[in-house]
Amino acid sequence: MLNEVERWLSTRSWSKTDRPLHKILAAKRATGQSVSVVLPALNEEETVGDIVAVIRHDLMQQVPLVDEIVVVDSGSTDRTSEVAAAAGARVVHRDDILPRIPTVPGKGEVLWRSLLVTSGDIVCFIDADLKEFSSDFVSGIVGPLLTDPGVDLVKGMYDRPLAGAAGQGGRVTELMARPLLNMHWPQLAGFVQPLGGEYAARRSLLEQLPFPVGYGVELGMLIDALHLVGLDALAQVDVGVRKHRHQDGQALGRMSAAIYRTAQLRLARGHLIRPSLTQFERGPSGFEPRTYSVDTEERPPMAEIAEYAERKVA
């Protein structure tokens, strides 16, 4: 391992217990920074309400750490919006944000647009499919941003059990993202969960970053933040165990293709010769091909969007 990464692991890799909640709250009062929590959601009625309720109870009603919870619905066909609103979140539909620019499917699209409907100096992203959720996920990753002005982005790290086996989750991380980072961006080799959906960053950083519209958003954000603010401005915090809904192998294949494409663009700023992925499923007459397009679009830094600039002036 690079000496720089070993040093980083000892100085920028923490546990949620390293910053007690009272110290985080004192730092928030002293700095006057506000915190927004964003949940991107697509058909998550079974889990989104519990997540919102825990954050609202623990970090808004019990202590004043979080200033707003926003659920951005990216086209749910179930009761995600109703459940989230009933639990106390402000719910905004993806298509109602920046209607001048037509929306495209994808998680990164939702995260990018969320910057226009939140106001926090610090924005914390939490996936909406988490089970047995703990508010430590929020306070743990927000803590370093409130207490250390030299930190700009914090990723959560955690165990990811799969079918009851510890450490077997995160298959795309181990088979795709980690090899890519170790070979091409070795400074980022110390991140335990580079693709994790639980992370927080300063708005001043997020508004300068391009956002891949799909599953490549976490990898792209990490790489671009490294180049923009340097390794020492990035950190990670151990928040325990993450339990969520797991996807099947073919869905993971499509996710991997999008992540590889994101890495490829950052390596060469080129274009895929064939921005699609063919997979095979057994049908009545044997294996049948199914071809899916790979996300090929990225949104520009939000700071370049006129409506965002106007909102900041107002």
Side-chain angles (χ1 to χ4, degrees):
M1 181 176 288
L2 290 174
N3 290 337
E4 184 178 9
V5 175
E6 291 183 350
R7 178 193 57 77
W8 179 84
L9 281 169
S10 67
T11 60
R12 286 291 187 265
S13 190
W14 298 297
S15 167
K16 62 186 179 183
T17 59
D18 290 336
R19 290 174 175 80
L21 190 55
H22 71 273
K23 290 187 176 180
I24 297 173
L25 291 168
K28 185 176 191 289
R29 288 191 297 269
T31 60
Q33 297 177 91
S34 54
V35 177
S36 299
V37 175
V38 171
L39 278 72
L42 176 63
N43 295 328
E44 303 294 357
E45 68 174 350
E46 294 184 4
T47 50
V48 68
D50 289 341
I51 297 171
V52 169
V54 167
I55 297 172
R56 183 170 177 79
H57 175 269
D58 292 359
L59 303 180
M60 296 182 80
Q61 295 172 342
Q62 295 289 99
V63 298
L65 179 63
V66 171
D67 297 282
E68 62 175 351
I69 308 173
V70 179
V71 171
V72 183
D73 191 328
S74 58
S76 298
T77 55
D78 64 2
R79 298 182 60 254
T80 289
S81 290
E82 294 87 342
V83 170
R90 176 161 60 92
V91 179
V92 186
H93 195 282
R94 173 198 63 191
D95 296 346
D96 295 332
I97 306 171
L98 198 61
R100 172 177 64 84
I101 300 176
T103 58
V104 296
K107 179 183 180 182
E109 176 83 351
V110 173
L111 300 184
W112 182 70
R113 290 177 186 264
S114 75
L115 296 181
L116 265 165
V117 292
T118 54
S119 58
D121 302 303
I122 294 168
V123 182
C124 176
F125 298 116
I126 300 290
D127 281 350
D129 65 343
L130 302 188
K131 302 173 182 178
E132 301 176 29
F133 178 77
S134 167
S135 59
D136 289 341
F137 273 65
V138 175
S139 57
I141 59 181
V142 165
L145 293 162
L146 289 169
T147 59
D148 190 334
V151 174
D152 288 327
L153 185 150
V154 180
K155 298 281 292 190
M157 58 175 166
Y158 27 68
D159 293 315
R160 297 182 68 175
L162 176 64
Q168 296 302 306
R171 290 161 287 173
V172 175
T173 292
E174 299 305 328
L175 297 175
M176 174 62 70
R178 197 175 310 287
L180 280 172
L181 292 176
N182 274 263
M183 287 187 290
H184 299 295
W185 295 279
Q187 287 178 295
L188 298 174
F191 277 94
V192 175
Q193 299 290 353
L195 301 184
E198 290 68 48
Y199 52 98
R202 300 190 191 281
R203 177 176 295 272
S204 57
L205 172 62
L206 292 171
E207 65 187 15
Q208 297 181 68
L209 299 176
F211 277 61
V213 298
Y215 285 120
V217 62
E218 274 85 21
L219 185 80
M221 186 179 297
L222 201 56
I223 293 168
D224 294 338
L226 172 68
H227 290 297
L228 193 63
V229 296
L231 182 61
D232 282 343
L234 313 180
Q236 61 184 350
V237 173
D238 187 347
V239 292
V241 179
R242 182 187 196 268
K243 297 181 180 179
H244 67 114
R245 181 186 68 252
H246 292 282
Q247 301 194 55
D248 62 35
Q250 292 213 331
L252 296 179
R254 297 190 289 275
M255 186 184 302
S256 296
I259 289 166
Y260 180 77
R261 173 262 172 192
T262 299
Q264 184 200 43
L265 282 182
R266 279 152 181 79
L267 284 169
R269 295 297 170 181
H271 300 281
L272 285 176
I273 296 173
R274 180 176 180 265
S276 59
L277 173 71
T278 298
Q279 297 177 318
F280 294 88
E281 300 175 9
R282 184 180 288 280
S285 57
F287 285 102
E288 301 174 356
R290 299 283 188 272
T291 299
Y292 301 88
S293 62
V294 174
D295 296 319
T296 57
E297 188 170 354
E298 295 197 5
R299 295 304 191 188
M302 187 57 78
E304 298 177 7
I305 300 298
E307 289 88 337
Y308 186 77
E310 293 167 2
R311 192 196 74 157
K312 291 188 72 175
V313 171

